[in-house]
Amino acid sequence: AAMLGGMVGQAHAAAGGPFPSHPQWKFVFVNHVTTNPFFVPTVYGIQDACALLGCSYQWTGSETSDVAQMVNAMNAAIAAKADGIAVAIVDPKGFNAPTERAMQAGIPVFSYNADAPAGSGNRRLAYIGQDLYASGYQMGERIAGLVGKTGAIVIFIATPGQLNIQPRLDGAKDAIKA
């Protein structure tokens, strides 16, 4: 599907298609677990969108949720004058400075999959993703309904405190307690 979408997109872009002419923008996606199979559909979507719109992308960041590696990837994208940066903001403050530098350089920054908490000072333009606390709460309600008041529940997360998963755990705990 990605290959077919790529060929169709290139044909549309080459022929002018339904989209106006534009430079070949390059978007950088900074991910916290770049090799995790969970994000394979995300990468396919990026590939298809870039083929359709005549853009290019870079998938970068960290394989192990290392914020310093992710910040380095953002800094490299800023230095390379990316046309836009999408970043999974997994740390409450760690992405504030690079986001500010990108925005000052005229590079729009969006968060996806995880977002800076309200009041963090991060000025990204928008968050693309679900309400993680609410999704965790719904999961917790479902778990509580299945287990009832007599069962024991244990939930593990790989990266305690990181904003991609901690809000889900918090929501689940609150729903289970309720």
Side-chain angles (χ1 to χ4, degrees):
M3 181 179 280
L4 178 60
M7 290 186 294
V8 170
Q10 289 170 351
H12 275 281
F19 305 108
S21 174
H22 61 79
Q24 185 172 355
W25 294 311
K26 181 172 185 180
F27 301 105
V28 177
F29 292 79
V30 180
N31 191 269
H32 56 295
V33 286
T34 54
T35 58
N36 189 312
F38 178 85
F39 286 101
V40 168
T42 304
V43 174
Y44 284 164
I46 294 165
Q47 290 170 346
D48 289 347
C50 284
L52 179 67
L53 300 172
C55 301
S56 64
Y57 77 97
Q58 179 184 7
W59 181 255
T60 186
S62 174
E63 292 183 12
T64 59
S65 291
D66 184 312
V67 173
Q69 290 174 348
M70 294 174 70
V71 167
N72 287 341
M74 281 189 77
N75 289 334
I78 295 164
K81 297 182 169 73
D83 293 297
I85 298 172
V87 57
I89 298 179
V90 295
D91 185 85
K93 300 271 185 190
F95 297 94
N96 290 4
T99 297
E100 188 62 33
R101 280 192 302 279
M103 299 288 283
Q104 291 292 325
I107 302 169
V109 177
F110 300 86
S111 64
Y112 71 98
N113 187 255
D115 194 24
S120 73
N122 192 290
R123 293 187 336 111
R124 54 79 182 133
L125 294 175
Y127 167 63
I128 301 160
Q130 68 183 165
D131 180 323
L132 301 181
Y133 177 86
S135 71
Y137 198 93
Q138 290 176 344
M139 179 182 73
E141 288 179 322
R142 177 82 170 128
I143 291 169
L146 291 170
V147 174
K149 295 183 184 245
T150 59
I153 301 167
V154 178
I155 301 173
F156 296 94
I157 60 174
T159 50
Q162 284 202 334
L163 299 177
N164 61 308
I165 195 71
Q166 187 68 48
R168 291 180 175 119
L169 173 67
D170 294 343
K173 283 181 4 184
D174 288 350
I176 292 165
K177 285 180 187 174

